[in-house]
Amino acid sequence: MSSALLAIGRRRTTAERRRDRERDIIRCTRELFDERGTIDAQIDDIAKRVGINKALIYRHFAGKEELFALTLVDYLGELDARLKEVDGPRRTPMNRLKALSEVFVDFCLEYPAFADCAMSLLRRTGEELFGEITEPVMTKLGTAMGSALQRISTILEAGQRTGVFDEVDADYLANHLYTQTLGSLHMARMGLIVSAGRPGHPVVHHADIATVRETAITATLATAVGRQALGGRSTKPSKATAGRTSRTTGETP
């Protein structure tokens, strides 16, 4: 065998080893997320779980935010597979949206770290994300989010055609519902609600998880129906009005 062919073989083996290690790091990151939550999962702990030096993680990922983003991609892949399993095109748009909303809410409750990880990225501006995460990883994240969000958009458009859902840009509304659900389920994460007692003495109550779940699902359906429930019709905004932005490197959800 020629030296050139041997060199190609070595490069391919090196690339494969790199991909395997990256998968191991992401797998161990998710394991720690599910065990401890995102706050308590430190890079040192991830490296120890993988069995490598901490410095090696930074050879594979630009930083903690990028590793978290790719771990979120892993969660989103599993979520999308679950959404696909329950979606039935022959069902009414309302029933389809309800089924997908139930899966999404239950996934967040099963994996609280998924909601935490998703919210941690949503708290950053687009410019901050592009500054912290490399373009290839942003593309993977956008693709993973887009796959799940497209399922919602398709259902919303079907409901708009039949007059069931509000005529709002479906892509925008799908993103809104994603963010709305993540935010509302933080109540389940906290496990607390607050009400006014006597002046200066607020009352803290336990948040019933079943109630939080049902409210989140109902809120999704109510938001999709929108002003249709009031007997009015909204003006469907343009893509630009809905706030969709693109970059020369591609679009991000």
Side-chain angles (χ1 to χ4, degrees):
M1 183 179 296
S2 69
S3 59
L5 289 176
L6 286 172
I8 292 173
R10 283 196 295 270
R11 285 199 296 270
R12 184 179 298 115
T13 301
T14 299
E16 289 173 349
R17 286 201 300 268
R18 181 180 180 85
R19 287 193 294 269
D20 288 342
R21 176 166 287 172
E22 288 176 355
R23 283 192 290 266
D24 286 342
I25 293 171
I26 293 170
R27 174 180 55 79
C28 290
T29 301
R30 180 169 171 177
E31 287 177 359
L32 287 171
F33 277 4
D34 292 335
E35 292 172 11
R36 307 179 186 179
T38 58
I39 295 177
D40 294 328
Q42 303 299 318
I43 293 295
D44 286 335
D45 298 324
I46 295 169
K48 185 177 180 180
R49 177 68 63 95
V50 180
I52 61 176
N53 186 282
K54 174 182 176 180
L56 287 176
I57 291 183
Y58 292 104
R59 291 186 184 178
H60 292 270
F61 307 97
K64 187 176 181 179
E65 290 76 15
E66 184 163 291
L67 175 55
F68 281 24
L70 285 170
T71 305
L72 180 58
V73 169
D74 189 72
Y75 279 115
L76 287 167
E78 182 178 336
L79 171 62
D80 189 47
R82 294 191 187 188
L83 294 174
K84 182 179 180 180
E85 287 179 358
V86 302
D87 190 20
R90 294 185 178 182
R91 303 164 77 179
T92 66
M94 183 68 76
N95 285 335
R96 288 179 71 187
L97 184 59
K98 183 174 184 291
L100 266 63
S101 178
E102 290 172 341
V103 168
F104 183 35
V105 169
D106 288 341
F107 189 83
C108 291
L109 292 174
E110 181 179 355
Y111 298 113
F114 160 72
D116 286 349
C117 192
M119 287 298 293
S120 71
L121 293 177
L122 287 172
R123 282 193 290 269
R124 289 172 169 79
T125 66
E127 290 301 320
E128 288 173 341
L129 283 177
F130 274 95
E132 297 170 346
I133 301 174
T134 60
E135 183 179 323
V137 173
M138 283 295 292
T139 299
K140 288 182 180 180
L141 178 59
T143 300
M145 290 183 65
S147 181
L149 291 170
Q150 182 59 43
R151 297 187 187 281
I152 305 298
S153 298
T154 299
I155 295 172
L156 293 171
E157 290 171 349
Q160 290 170 356
R161 288 194 295 270
T162 59
V164 175
F165 296 148
D166 203 357
E167 291 188 8
V168 178
D169 180 84
D171 291 333
Y172 162 78
L173 189 54
N175 279 265
H176 178 88
L177 293 174
Y178 171 80
T179 307
Q180 172 180 288
T181 301
L182 288 172
S184 64
L185 287 173
H186 189 63
M187 184 181 294
R189 192 82 166 96
M190 288 182 62
L192 302 173
I193 58 175
V194 180
S195 62
R198 292 181 292 106
H201 294 81
V203 180
V204 179
H205 309 270
H206 171 70
D208 179 66
I209 303 301
T211 301
V212 175
R213 177 185 184 275
E214 188 63 30
T215 303
I217 295 167
T218 301
T220 292
L221 302 179
T223 302
V225 173
R227 279 172 279 190
Q228 294 289 69
L230 302 177
R233 294 180 66 84
S234 64
T235 300
K236 189 174 182 178
S238 66
K239 301 292 186 182
T241 304
R244 300 182 71 195
T245 59
S246 62
R247 301 170 65 98
T248 57
T249 56
E251 292 190 353
T252 58

